[in-house]
Amino acid sequence: DAGVIQSTRHEVTEMGQEVTLRCKPISGHDYLFWYRQTMMRGLELLIYFNNNVPIDDSGMPEDRFSAKMPNASFSTLKIQPSEPRDSAVYFCASSAGLTTEAFFGQGTRLTVV
Amino acid sequence: GDSVTQMEGPVTLSEEAFLTINCTYTATGYPSLFWYVQYPGEGLQLLLKATKADDKGSNKGFEATYRKETTSFHLEKGSVQVSDSAVYFCALRASTGGFKTIFGAGTRLFVKA
């Protein structure tokens, strides 16, 4: 298996623009997580899905953030409009079952200028 | 709510020194516990895990024992190498309330030659 795929390693956008981050989880995994990592706040869970259904989005910082999982093999995290304080590394992770570990993608470093 | 607390870094050691990184948790039910490692510019990788009390997880010379009585999961290695320099995250996967994975703040380890 190729692992969790976040095809974009670096994304640069201008303030006010919409940015969409993409993730392909490991085939067969039924949980998908979006995390944000910054120096100040460490690793924060933004939202997670089970069987494509959002279970907990309490970590989403503002209404500017939204996430979807239209099918078992694809998820997006969208920020609209983006702001410089959204600059961070965004990780997608997936897992199978209730006690198994999460497998992480390599992350997308977002810079909003 | 569930939480993970780990010792603040950075931790700086000389090569071949003994390593301990403390981790304690708060959780309802019976969580699974994990240590992840993040090398510079990379995503998180699972280092080891334990799914029930008194289990010992081990990998690459690292060990951690699930201690329910002290709610701890301390990471140890008998002799560190320069290549062990990374950020280490303690995490728990809840067994109730949605089964999401919660991470500690991370501890940066520097190993000097």
Side-chain angles (χ1 to χ4, degrees):
Chain A
D1 199 314
V4 175
I5 298 174
Q6 294 180 258
S7 52
T8 303
R9 294 297 305 272
H10 300 274
E11 181 86 50
V12 180
T13 191
E14 291 185 350
M15 182 174 64
Q17 296 298 307
E18 173 184 309
V19 59
T20 299
L21 310 181
R22 295 172 174 80
C23 173
K24 177 178 169 55
I26 293 173
S27 177
H29 282 190
D30 54 354
Y31 285 85
L32 183 138
F33 307 85
W34 281 101
Y35 288 90
R36 178 172 68 176
Q37 187 178 40
T38 61
M39 290 293 293
M40 292 296 294
R41 295 184 168 174
L43 198 62
E44 303 173 275
L45 176 64
L46 300 178
I47 185 172
Y48 76 99
F49 296 81
N50 178 219
N51 292 323
N52 314 336
V53 176
I55 302 300
D56 185 347
D57 65 354
S58 59
M60 298 284 260
E62 298 173 37
D63 290 346
R64 298 184 296 106
F65 286 69
S66 62
K68 294 181 179 179
M69 192 165 185
N71 57 63
S73 59
F74 184 65
S75 177
T76 59
L77 177 69
K78 184 166 72 174
I79 308 172
Q80 179 187 26
S82 58
E83 297 182 3
R85 59 196 170 110
D86 301 331
S87 298
V89 181
Y90 290 82
F91 288 103
C92 176
S94 70
S95 70
L98 302 177
T99 59
T100 57
E101 66 271 24
F103 291 82
F104 280 74
Q106 292 203 294
T108 298
R109 180 175 295 278
L110 173 66
T111 303
V112 183
V113 299
Chain B
D2 296 349
S3 65
V4 175
T5 302
Q6 59 184 104
M7 63 188 288
E8 288 189 24
V11 173
T12 302
L13 296 173
S14 296
E15 207 165 23
E16 299 184 3
F18 185 87
L19 168 71
T20 300
I21 300 178
N22 289 339
C23 171
T24 57
Y25 68 90
T26 302
T28 55
Y30 302 94
S32 295
L33 302 175
F34 308 90
W35 276 101
Y36 283 82
V37 58
Q38 184 181 31
Y39 299 102
E42 308 249 336
L44 279 71
Q45 304 171 25
L46 179 70
L47 182 59
L48 52 84
K49 68 177 181 181
T51 58
K52 62 182 186 297
D54 300 325
D55 268 3
K56 177 186 283 188
S58 61
N59 185 27
K60 300 180 182 179
F62 291 89
E63 293 182 341
T65 301
Y66 189 145
R67 301 286 188 198
K68 189 165 176 60
E69 64 276 11
T70 55
T71 62
S72 65
F73 193 55
H74 305 321
L75 181 68
E76 296 181 336
K77 186 175 185 182
S79 175
V80 294
Q81 306 300 312
V82 172
S83 57
D84 293 327
S85 298
V87 181
Y88 292 82
F89 292 87
C90 184
L92 70 82
R93 181 81 182 270
S95 60
T96 60
F99 313 106
K100 61 185 179 184
T101 301
I102 296 168
F103 288 82
T107 303
R108 185 175 295 277
L109 170 66
F110 292 106
V111 180
K112 304 179 297 185

